[in-house]
Structure formats: structure tokens, C-alpha cells
Amino acid sequence: MVQRRLIPTYIFLIICSLISVFPLYWMIAAATNASLNIARGSIAFGDQLMVNFQHLLNAVQGTLWSSMRNSFLFSTIQTLFTLFACSLAGYGFELYHDKNKDRLFGIILLAMMVPQVATLVPLYKLVSDMNMLNTVWGFILPTIATPFMIMMFRQNSRNFPPDIMEAARIDGLPEWKIFFKMYVPIQKSTYAAAAVITFMTSWNAYLWPKVTMREASAQTMPMFIANITSGYTVDYGMTMLGVLFCSLPTMIIFFVLQKQFAEGITGSVK
């Protein structure tokens, strides 16, 4: 009887799952079709995959692989620096309590309400004066430490047992060893969740790279996709194949780390 009551729920969940997966299916199917078939609304798989791939390779002066390389390089470096900086800040804010630090943390949280476009001009002037345009450092510098990531690590740092830290200090363990050998292993799920969020945000970034990455050799995948759709006529098959290429790295990272991602996000809101 209990199982029969759950049948409508299962049917509803299956329908919702199919609706959620359909855009991904349509993107893959469209990548194998000609532009005309896509415009006609075809959702079946076609035989134009290699043709679309060849057009994609030749698009925008053949910068597909360099754009993929730039996006992967920039996103990876930003993820590593963000994990280190934000985890260190969250560790310090939570495990070394001080009234002034709490006030500073409140100011950092207020920064979450400032839109990116409000800081675009001063950040561009800063990066330009430091001669960092068209470089990886100009890409990652403004977003190495974000208020959300610092808050996330601070919240999860509350699960770190203070007795272990006190015992380590009594044994003479330096603070940096406490952080790297004790704190980091305990917070693995938090690091995984933060890595997924940071990598996806960096990979999908468009506005800031568009402003700072002016040379074709420094463009990222979102810029590449925007460039191939900016002509008088749009090749939908080539465009959807490009979108598929752009989506694959983030999908792979999410599926690999989805369990740790769920654990890390759950721990951050306890």
C-alpha cells in the first residue's frame, strides 16, 4: 500500500528528470545536425557532426583549441588560489575569534551585495596600471578571494574539533602544519564543493575576460562562443557543437565530485 502511494511521486520525479535532461539531449542532437534542420525544429540525431566539427575548427581564425587551453589554464589556477586564500581566511575567522575580526567579516559579507559592474572600471584601471591585461593574473586577481567562499569555509570550520588543535599546539606542532596536516584533510568535502563552484564560475565568466582579454590568443571559451555567433548568419550546428565543447569540462568535474559537493554544501549551512 505504501509503495502504491509513492507511484504518483515517482512518476512526477521521472517527468521532471526528463524535462531537466531534455536541453542536454537537444544540445547533443543539434551538434550533429545541419543548421537548416535545427531551424526547422529537428530533435533527432543527424549525420553532420564531422562537418560541424570542421567548421568549428576553422571558426574565428582557428582559435578553438587555444580558447579551450586558456579557459582550462585560467580556471585551474584561479581554483587553486581561491581554495588556498579562502580556506585560510575561513580558518582564521572561525578558529581565532576576535571582535575586530567579526566586524571585518561583516564588512566582507556586505561586499556580496555590490554588483560586479560597479567595480568593473576601477578593477580594469588597476589591472591596466599593473600591466596585467591579456594575462592569467589579470583574469584571476579580482576574484581570488570571494565573500561567499570565505563564508563557506568559515561555516564549515565550525566542524573542526578545537580540542585537536589545542592538543597539537601542546605537542609543539606549528600553526601552518595544523592547517595543512589536520584542517585540510578534515575539510576535503568543503574543498571539493568550493572547487566545483569556483571552477564553473571561472570557466563560464564572460564580462571580465571580455574587458581584459583583448587579444585573440588570450580569449576564453565563452568569448569564442560569442564570437562565432556574432556574424550576419549563424551556423546553429557549429554553435551547438561549440556549446557542447564548452560544457563538457564543467559537467565532468561536477559528476566526478558530486558526492563531495553535496557533503560540502550541506556542511556549510548547518
Side-chain angles (χ1 to χ4, degrees):
M1 182 64 67
V2 176
Q3 294 297 328
R4 290 182 178 179
R5 291 178 180 176
L6 294 177
I7 289 177
T9 303
Y10 291 149
I11 294 175
F12 174 76
L13 292 176
I14 291 173
I15 294 174
C16 290
S17 299
L18 292 176
I19 294 174
S20 300
V21 172
F22 179 76
L24 177 61
Y25 164 80
W26 183 79
M27 177 178 64
I28 298 173
T32 66
N33 276 285
S35 182
L36 182 60
N37 292 335
I38 298 173
R40 290 174 175 173
S42 174
I43 60 173
F45 285 92
D47 57 355
Q48 299 296 307
L49 177 61
M50 296 309 301
V51 175
N52 292 334
F53 181 67
Q54 189 61 43
H55 291 169
L56 189 65
L57 290 177
N58 298 329
V60 197
Q61 301 176 351
T63 56
L64 171 63
W65 298 124
S66 63
S67 300
M68 286 283 291
R69 183 183 65 249
N70 290 338
S71 286
F72 186 78
L73 176 65
F74 296 167
S75 300
T76 301
I77 294 177
Q78 179 170 347
T79 300
L80 294 176
F81 274 88
T82 298
L83 291 182
F84 175 73
C86 294
S87 63
L88 198 61
Y91 173 83
F93 274 121
E94 180 59 31
L95 299 178
Y96 298 94
H97 280 292
D98 183 84
K99 290 185 178 179
N100 293 326
K101 288 182 181 179
D102 292 338
R103 295 191 185 100
L104 178 60
F105 184 72
I107 295 174
I108 292 175
L109 292 182
L110 288 175
M112 296 178 65
M113 295 184 289
V114 179
Q116 183 185 13
V117 293
T119 60
L120 196 63
V121 174
L123 284 177
Y124 174 79
K125 187 175 184 346
L126 175 65
V127 172
S128 178
D129 292 341
M130 297 174 67
N131 297 320
M132 290 185 178
L133 296 177
N134 300 305
T135 65
V136 61
W137 304 114
F139 179 89
I140 71 173
L141 185 61
T143 51
I144 286 180
T146 61
F148 175 77
M149 284 296 142
I150 295 175
M151 179 187 68
M152 180 176 174
F153 275 104
R154 187 192 182 189
Q155 290 296 106
N156 279 354
S157 295
R158 295 179 178 179
N159 298 327
F160 185 76
D163 296 339
I164 296 179
M165 187 169 62
E166 293 298 331
R169 287 174 179 169
I170 294 174
D171 292 338
L173 196 67
E175 293 295 326
W176 66 271
K177 287 189 176 181
I178 294 176
F179 178 79
F180 284 105
K181 293 188 175 181
M182 302 177 66
Y183 176 82
V184 173
I186 290 177
Q187 300 292 336
K188 286 190 297 184
S189 60
T190 307
Y191 277 94
V196 171
I197 296 173
T198 304
F199 188 90
M200 293 178 66
T201 302
S202 178
W203 184 277
N204 295 324
Y206 176 75
L207 181 59
W208 178 247
K210 185 67 174 178
V211 172
T212 56
M213 304 296 176
R214 296 182 173 181
E215 297 180 0
S217 59
Q219 75 175 2
T220 59
M221 279 302 295
M223 297 169 62
F224 176 82
I225 299 299
N227 289 336
I228 65 177
T229 59
S230 60
Y232 291 104
T233 58
V234 179
D235 187 337
Y236 295 110
M238 178 188 69
T239 301
M240 296 310 296
L241 184 59
V243 173
L244 180 60
F245 266 93
C246 188
S247 304
L248 280 176
T250 54
M251 288 191 295
I252 292 173
I253 289 178
F254 179 79
F255 283 125
V256 170
L257 299 176
Q258 60 178 328
K259 181 179 179 181
Q260 292 82 359
F261 174 81
E263 292 176 355
I265 291 296
T266 303
S268 67
V269 297
K270 284 183 178 179

